[in-house]
Amino acid sequence: MIDRADFLDRFGGVFEHSPFIAERALDAGAVSLPLTAKGVHAALTGAFRKASHAEQLGVLQAHPDLAGKLAIAGGLTEDSRKEQAGAGLDRLSPAEHARFTELNTAYTEKFGFPFIIAVKGLTKDDILAAFEARIGNTADVEFETAKTQVERIALLRLTALLPGD
């Protein structure tokens, strides 16, 4: 049997600042033993996809800007900090930081949520190229793209929590 408190403690933060995703997956009976990254991901993703548009938007809005103010102030979640540092976003030149800030502002003004990309395995140049390409998307296309990236981030986080899957 899955202990509710333990499950929510371990997996409540997989979707950035959105523990309701893990709660709903567990309450729906979508989580089964043994816990595997793929199994928990399927359960959490199912709950995320069933959430209302407004709730999904809230999940997207819970993500920090890449190389943004929270990163500078040390206010990122540990997962986000590690992910951004792994892509070199904690070591930007002043010009690179200015470009990220400019893109973050334009993107958020256009779409109403921050640019989200699973940064693992990407360089800062890869991320900038994706940023510059995706800012030209329509709102509907970008909403779906951002949701897909959130789900990818969740899988990467779960793989770190449940190795050997």
Side-chain angles (χ1 to χ4, degrees):
M1 178 167 194
I2 299 170
D3 178 83
R4 180 180 182 78
D6 180 55
F7 183 85
L8 296 178
D9 184 55
R10 286 181 72 193
F11 305 111
V14 168
F15 278 75
E16 193 90 5
H17 298 295
S18 302
F20 78 92
I21 299 292
E23 290 171 353
R24 288 184 185 172
L26 192 59
D27 292 346
V31 181
S32 59
L33 294 173
L35 296 178
T36 64
K38 288 180 184 175
V40 175
H41 184 257
L44 296 181
T45 298
F48 178 56
R49 290 180 184 169
K50 289 177 185 169
S52 70
H53 184 275
E55 289 170 325
Q56 290 174 345
L57 177 60
V59 171
L60 300 182
Q61 290 171 332
H63 280 261
D65 286 342
L66 292 178
K69 292 177 210 148
L70 276 179
I72 293 167
L76 296 176
T77 65
E78 186 62 16
D79 284 330
S80 288
R81 186 195 64 72
K82 287 179 184 175
E83 291 157 2
Q84 290 196 28
L89 298 183
D90 60 340
R91 298 178 301 279
L92 298 176
S93 71
E96 290 167 333
H97 189 267
R99 183 66 180 141
F100 268 95
T101 300
E102 176 186 321
L103 285 167
N104 279 326
T105 300
Y107 183 97
T108 302
E109 285 175 1
K110 181 174 181 178
F111 297 113
F113 52 88
F115 178 76
I116 301 167
I117 189 168
V119 298
K120 184 170 179 138
L122 301 178
T123 67
K124 60 188 172 187
D125 293 330
D126 297 331
I127 296 163
L128 270 176
F131 218 144
E132 290 170 345
R134 285 175 45 194
I135 202 162
N137 284 344
T138 65
D140 289 341
V141 166
E142 194 55 25
F143 189 77
E144 291 305 315
T145 302
K147 289 188 330 186
T148 299
Q149 289 297 311
V150 164
E151 292 172 358
R152 179 163 166 62
I153 292 165
L155 180 58
L156 293 168
R157 289 177 177 180
L158 286 165
T159 301
L161 289 169
L162 296 165
D165 184 9

